[in-house]
């Protein structure tokens, strides 16, 4: 069953996680503070998986209706100065 973003957001966190694992196509990864964020293409929408690295919490998901979410992954890398 293919879902749109509204139906996806209505799922429980466990159901969202299963849906992304079964239907999602991994696109990109980024970091925000202590969160690992993975972007998935789910056909009719994009979804970010936010995974907190210091505590044991289930992943959280954020669905996006447009490609505007891709901008966060197009930023140039900041290199450390040594």
């Amino acid at each position: 069953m293919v879902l749109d973003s509204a139906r996806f957001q209505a799922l429980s966190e466990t159901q969202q996680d299963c849906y992304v694992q079964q239907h999602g196509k991994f696109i990109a990864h980024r970091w925000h503070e202590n969160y690992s964020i993975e972007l998935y293409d789910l056909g009719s929408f994009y979804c970010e998986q936010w995974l907190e690295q210091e505590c044991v919490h289930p992943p959280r998901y954020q669905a996006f209706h447009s490609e505007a979410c891709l901008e966060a992954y197009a930023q140039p890398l900041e290199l450390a100065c040594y």
Side-chain angles (χ1 to χ4, degrees):
M1 174 170 72
V2 177
L3 301 178
D4 61 15
S5 62
R7 288 186 176 163
F8 174 80
Q9 288 295 111
L11 297 174
S12 70
E13 290 178 350
T14 303
Q15 291 171 320
Q16 287 178 349
D17 191 48
C18 289
Y19 188 81
V20 170
Q21 298 306 316
Q22 290 177 358
H23 302 284
K25 178 182 175 188
F26 175 78
I27 296 176
H29 178 266
R30 67 184 176 101
W31 292 93
H32 177 73
E33 296 177 0
N34 60 328
Y35 286 91
S36 168
I37 307 167
E38 294 182 349
L39 181 66
Y40 291 88
D41 181 349
L42 289 160
S44 63
F45 65 98
Y46 294 96
C47 179
E48 284 184 333
Q49 177 194 62
W50 287 64
L51 187 58
E52 211 276 334
Q53 296 297 298
E54 295 178 8
C55 301
V56 181
H57 294 289
R60 293 183 312 168
Y61 292 93
Q62 175 66 44
F64 298 94
H65 303 96
S66 72
E67 295 180 352
C69 64
L70 301 177
E71 292 178 17
Y73 297 89
Q75 302 299 322
L77 295 175
E78 292 183 25
L79 301 177
C81 297
Y82 292 100

